[in-house]
DNA sequence: CACGTAACTTAGCCTAGGCTAAATTTCAGA
DNA sequence: TCTGAAATTTAGCCTAGGCTAAGTTACGTG
């Protein structure tokens, strides 16, 4: 039951602004997380990470990959030499591990609430970058609780 | 078959690329949705939507708001005259209504799985733009089921 | 071993979305 | 009604992330 028509939608302005700022921050780190996660997967499963494969899997041109890799190098996440394969720095490996764990948690959660595996993967790709630690904890609790029930 | 540890993380390349493409698409529309939703809220609760309030609540400069509003006008979502308040076109109102309903569904869902109201609002701001129709339907089912249990 | 093709980089362009500083316009109060 | 402060716009700049086309490099194969 609400009061009258349309009360209480707008939070205090500064709080509101903080939400959007966090949002923009998450958007900024999303690309880096997607790239290092993909590079880690390629290294693990294919033994090497080549720009051409990143381009194919990201659905983006090779030139775009080159530019993005340049930023990731600048930010200390990726190591490479001109015309050679890609590797992760320690920081990059750590980011990839966190991203992967988070990705899998989100996928498992989405499947638990009734999504099919493919849709869960698709949605996780977007949702994983915008779930706070508290939300992820809630997902984990939900999964744990559900396992208890299943016995 | 290839090595054994770490199988089955990478989907087919074209499918993978499609996920990221959807992702980029969602990112593109997120700003528009946030702006029209905020404009609708301001119109409803304050009686008018001024750029200065959008700037304050988005945590962004007025110049940025002016530029963004220009794009929303170009895209047929917002109507305004120079130096005057902002209004939504029919298309803008429709987008705002959808965005608001989706936002509230996500908030209710997050609260249902154990988040406090403030965190739910924060997370919803990011998650609402990246949840597919199927995911939203799953959220709704979850809430409906939960109400049944509560009786 | 050289050579052609595939992979990668470079150059140049674009849009969205940020910023500050400097106009310009509106509007309320003296 | 005039005027100054607040709101808005404009100008100019920046970064991320897209693109294509053209140039370079690496490498497998004949």
């Amino acid at each position: 039951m609400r009061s009258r028509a349309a009360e209480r939608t707008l939070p205090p302005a500064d709080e509101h602004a903080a939400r959007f700022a966090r949002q923009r921050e998450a958007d900024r780190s999303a690309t880096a997380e997607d790239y290092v996660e993909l590079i880690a997967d390629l290294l693990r499963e294919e033994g090497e990470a080549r720009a051409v494969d990143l381009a194919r899997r990201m659905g983006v041109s090779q030139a775009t990959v080159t530019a993005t890799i340049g930023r990731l190098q600048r930010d200390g996440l990726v190591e490479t030499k001109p015309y050679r394969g890609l590797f992760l720095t320690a920081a990059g490996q750590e980011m990839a591990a966190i991203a992967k764990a988070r990705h899998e948690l989100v996928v498992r959660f989405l499947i638990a609430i009734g999504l099919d595996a493919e849709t869960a993967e698709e949605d996780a790709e977007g949702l994983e970058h915008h779930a706070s630690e508290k939300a992820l904890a809630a997902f984990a609790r939900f999964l744990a609780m559900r396992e208890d029930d299943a016995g």
Side-chain angles (χ1 to χ4, degrees), chain A residues 16-151:
Chain A
H16 209 169
R19 283 184 204 166
F20 285 116
R22 265 189 293 275
Q23 195 43 44
R24 288 191 294 270
E25 176 57 33
D27 284 341
R28 263 201 307 282
S29 46
T31 301
E33 291 169 356
D34 285 337
Y35 270 72
V36 299
E37 194 176 344
L38 221 197
I39 291 169
D41 284 344
L42 287 168
L43 286 172
R44 183 165 18 76
E45 298 193 21
E46 315 275 324
E48 64 175 350
R50 282 146 65 245
V52 66
D53 290 322
L54 285 190
R56 264 196 280 270
R57 305 196 90 96
M58 301 291 309
V60 123
S61 74
Q62 284 196 34
T64 293
V65 168
T66 297
T68 303
I69 292 300
R71 285 189 290 270
L72 297 180
Q73 273 190 280
R74 179 200 62 193
D75 297 343
L77 296 168
V78 165
E79 277 172 343
T80 181
K81 287 176 185 161
Y83 296 97
R84 288 319 177 62
L86 307 171
F87 299 92
L88 295 176
T89 63
Q93 286 172 34
E94 190 186 335
M95 179 183 281
I98 292 171
K100 188 179 183 62
R102 199 182 48 187
H103 179 88
E104 285 171 1
L105 170 59
V106 174
V107 168
R108 280 191 295 131
F109 175 74
L110 292 175
I111 290 174
I113 64 165
L115 263 61
D116 62 280
E118 168 60 19
T119 305
E121 283 289 344
E122 279 180 29
D123 274 68
E125 207 65 72
L127 298 177
E128 61 181 343
H129 302 296
H130 298 89
S132 66
E133 285 305 316
K134 287 183 184 173
L136 294 171
F139 293 175
R141 273 198 309 276
F142 180 83
L143 288 169
M145 195 188 71
R146 204 155 154 289
E147 272 164 33
D148 285 352
D149 288 354

